């Protein structure tokens, strides 16, 4: 008997019909002999609706109360799924995050899971119940409900799979798996059978919406293999794992997959809603960088691409540019203006309307030419590259937002992703 942790996202529990389909999938897993723990998200747009309601009552809702409120979205789904299971004759019990023994640390609205005491969960499983757990929440040291940040139910599922030493973790969502690029933009995008943790996490951080990157990193840390599959169809999905294919199949050689990767690019990701900030004409040097980025870090703003150039015609002076999420601009502006004032900057500019496109793949390190190939493909489309950042696993270009679809299509083609056979 295998223990499976399944997770159903907001659209997978978005209506009565969808909840019945979830109950049916769980029933089948049970019939196949599995013990099931199912983590659920809030129905469809419930979390957004709750945030909106709070916003109508308060411009700055107290974060503790906001968490109390948001946690109810997942609580609704857990009870509804449990009663749908009863209806089809499957014994089930729902548990909120706190009831499931999930402890958290850190601020309201962005807490992290510090530990799980699965005593009650195990007892319920042993009694023959399917256990439905509300995702995205836990109890902090003050015994207050805290939420894990948007998309946090993925993290709940992987953390539970780790704590219970589950045999499998299955993330059911509204897409059929992980693709070489967003299939809505690139019709020839391919679904990957499997992908490694590092590459998957990078794709997710770089904008692939399929899973929360934190959950993938947690899976890697605890060696939890994660299957991403559609809750709307019966298709195989994508397995996130670092095990080689033949290890899993029990075979003794690489078969058709070969020993080295045929293609070191796994996929193209993109992220819209990017803003560019430039602080012009400040003293060159690391003290300046600390003066700008220190306060931003204190304001919990994450900064991505950073470019430092010498100010035209002035020695010892630099222009510092960086990207932030567009939705952070209101937080960023006063912080940056204050720092810029103190540094004697001649100008501060803040502008939205940018996007990032990334080519992601392990094994780019020590294989030169990936950035060049990317620039060439973008240049052929006369797509201006504003800023660039690279690491051993990705090359990211900042471009105008209205060119992002074309950029993704061109890069997908330039890296031959529609045709390649690839192994992890
Ligand atoms: N309901 C929460 C959100 O919409 C958590 C989740 O769905 O994972 O962000
Ligand atoms: Mg959601």
């Amino acid at each position: 008997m295998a223990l499976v942790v399944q997770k159903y996202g907001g659209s997978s529990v978005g209506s009565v019909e969808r909840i019945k389909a979830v109950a049916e999938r769980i029933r089948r897993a049970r019939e196949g002999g599995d013990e099931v723990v199912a983590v659920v998200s809030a129905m469809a747009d419930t979390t957004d609706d709750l945030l909106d309601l709070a916003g109508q009552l308060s411009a700055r809702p107290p974060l503790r109360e906001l968490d109390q409120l948001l946690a109810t979205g997942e609580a609704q789904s857990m009870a509804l799924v449990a009663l749908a299971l009863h209806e089809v004759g499957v014994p089930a019990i729902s548990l909120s995050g706190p009831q499931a023994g999930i402890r958290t640390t850190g601020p309201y609205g962005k807490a992290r899971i510090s530990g799980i005491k699965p005593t009650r969960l195990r007892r319920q499983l042993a009694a023959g119940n399917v256990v439905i757990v509300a995702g995205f929440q836990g109890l902090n040291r003050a015994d207050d409900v805290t939420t894990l940040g948007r998309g946090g139910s993925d993290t709940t599922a992987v953390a539970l799979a780790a704590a219970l030493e589950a045999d499998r973790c299955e993330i059911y969502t509204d897409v059929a798996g992980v693709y070489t690029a967003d299939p809505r933009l690139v019709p020839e995008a391919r679904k990957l059978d499997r992908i490694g943790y590092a590459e998957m996490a990078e794709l997710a951080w770089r904008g692939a919406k399929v899973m929360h990157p934190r959950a993938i990193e947690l899976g890697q840390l605890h060696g939890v293999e994660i299957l991403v599959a559609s809750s709307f169809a019966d298709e195989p999905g994508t397995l996130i794992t670092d095990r080689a294919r033949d290890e899993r199949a029990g075979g003794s050689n690489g078969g058709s997959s070969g020993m080295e990767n045929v293609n070191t690019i796994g996929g193209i990701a993109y992220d819209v809603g990017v803003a560019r900030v430039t602080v012009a004409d400040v003293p060159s040097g690391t003290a300046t960088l600390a003066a700008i980025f220190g306060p931003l870090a204190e304001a919990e703003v994450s900064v991505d691409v950073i470019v430092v150039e010498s100010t035209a015609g002035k020695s010892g002076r630099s222009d510092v540019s960086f990207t932030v999420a567009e939705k952070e601009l209101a937080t960023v502006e006063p912080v940056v203006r204050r720092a810029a004032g103190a540094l004697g900057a001649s100008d501060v500019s803040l502008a939205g309307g940018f996007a990032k496109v990334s080519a992601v793949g392990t094994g780019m390190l020590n294989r030169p030419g990936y950035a060049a190939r990317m620039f060439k493909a973008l240049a052929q489309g006369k797509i201006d590259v504003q800023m660039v950042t690279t690491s051993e696993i990705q090359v990211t270009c900042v471009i105008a937002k209205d060119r992002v679809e074309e950029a993704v299509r061109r890069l997908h083609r330039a890296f031959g992703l529609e045709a390649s056979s690839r192994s992890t």
Side-chain angles (χ1 to χ4, degrees):
M1 194 163 50
L3 172 58
V4 187
V5 174
Q6 300 185 334
K7 181 256 171 180
Y8 294 95
S11 54
S12 299
V13 293
S15 67
V16 166
E17 286 316 308
R18 294 304 312 150
I19 289 176
K20 285 184 181 168
V22 165
E24 183 51 30
R25 188 181 288 275
I26 294 173
R27 194 187 63 77
R28 268 187 283 141
R30 281 259 308 187
E31 237 172 44
D34 289 339
E35 285 185 303
V36 182
V37 173
V39 174
V40 290
S41 287
M43 290 174 73
D45 299 327
T46 301
T47 307
D48 289 325
D49 294 345
L50 291 172
L51 278 170
D52 187 62
L53 266 177
Q56 291 180 41
L57 288 160
S58 161
R60 299 191 116 253
L63 297 178
R64 177 184 184 279
E65 302 313 323
L66 208 51
D67 269 3
Q68 295 273 64
L69 178 69
L70 292 186
T72 64
E74 271 66 14
Q76 289 178 10
S77 324
M78 73 176 184
L80 291 169
V81 172
L83 62 88
L85 280 164
H86 283 256
E87 204 53 35
V88 293
V90 176
I93 181 173
S94 65
L95 298 176
S96 68
Q99 287 173 322
I102 299 174
R103 305 300 302 208
T104 60
T105 172
Y108 295 108
K110 18 179 142 168
R112 281 167 287 115
I113 295 178
S114 53
I116 299 181
K117 237 205 205 117
T119 329
R120 186 163 178 193
L121 240 156
R122 282 198 204 283
R123 207 183 326 125
Q124 290 300 338
L125 287 170
N129 282 313
V130 167
V131 186
I132 314 297
V133 180
F136 171 63
Q137 55 184 267
L139 210 58
N140 70 9
R141 274 173 64 185
D143 280 350
D144 271 339
V145 176
T146 45
T147 64
L148 306 178
R150 298 307 303 265
S153 297
D154 286 344
T155 303
T156 303
V158 176
L160 276 173
L164 292 165
E165 296 177 358
D167 298 283
R168 294 200 302 280
C169 183
E170 302 172 343
I171 305 286
Y172 288 103
T173 176
D174 51 7
V175 294
V178 180
Y179 284 77
T180 50
D182 185 341
R184 288 167 306 181
L185 262 53
V186 185
E188 63 275 21
R190 282 176 311 106
K191 187 169 71 187
L192 300 164
D193 306 336
R194 46 207 288 132
I195 185 169
Y197 295 100
E199 208 166 69
M200 184 64 225
E202 192 69 31
L203 277 172
W205 284 121
R206 298 281 157 198
K209 297 281 180 303
V210 58
M211 242 192 106
H212 198 292
R214 247 171 86 187
I216 301 156
E217 289 171 356
L218 191 64
Q220 176 166 36
L221 193 64
H222 295 279
V224 176
E225 287 192 340
I226 303 165
L227 177 75
V228 180
S230 169
S231 73
F232 293 76
D234 276 312
E235 288 178 53
T238 300
L239 188 69
I240 305 171
T241 178
D242 278 342
R243 270 198 292 167
R245 186 186 307 270
D246 43 309
E247 203 182 312
R248 191 176 155 77
S252 59
N253 67 41
S256 63
S257 61
M259 188 167 274
E260 283 207 70
N261 288 345
V262 179
N263 187 340
T264 54
I265 297 292
I268 309 297
Y270 69 96
D271 190 6
V272 290
V274 175
R276 175 186 173 141
V277 181
T278 300
V279 182
D281 191 6
V282 285
S284 302
T286 35
T288 288
L289 297 179
I292 295 172
F293 295 113
L296 284 169
E298 270 162 44
E300 305 225 18
V301 172
S302 38
V303 169
D304 189 25
V305 186
I306 301 176
V307 172
V308 182
E309 295 161 301
S310 356
T311 308
K314 292 196 182 175
S315 72
R317 309 286 289 181
S318 297
D319 299 342
V320 180
S321 301
F322 55 93
T323 59
V324 294
E326 230 164 21
K327 62 178 193 302
E328 302 259 45
L329 270 182
T331 313
V332 168
E333 175 150 19
V335 176
V336 167
R337 289 205 184 277
R338 206 172 310 125
L343 290 164
S346 68
D347 187 43
V348 178
S349 67
L350 304 102
F354 293 97
K356 289 185 280 195
V357 279
S358 307
V360 174
T362 45
M364 279 162 81
L365 187 71
N366 298 329
R367 293 185 211 211
Y370 280 92
R373 220 149 119 195
M374 193 160 173
F375 301 147
K376 190 171 160 208
L378 295 175
Q380 277 167 351
K382 298 201 164 40
I383 298 171
D384 273 342
V385 174
Q386 309 272 337
M387 302 162 92
V388 184
T389 171
T390 67
S391 73
E392 67 273 25
I393 190 175
Q394 55 81 33
V395 182
T396 295
C397 296
V398 177
I399 62 171
K401 184 179 175 172
D402 56 7
R403 303 302 303 279
V404 73
E405 296 195 8
E406 189 191 341
V408 172
R409 277 190 216 113
R410 282 185 179 275
L411 293 174
H412 197 266
R413 217 174 308 130
F415 288 111
L417 289 171
E418 71 287 353
S420 63
S421 71
R422 180 169 196 276
S423 63
T424 45

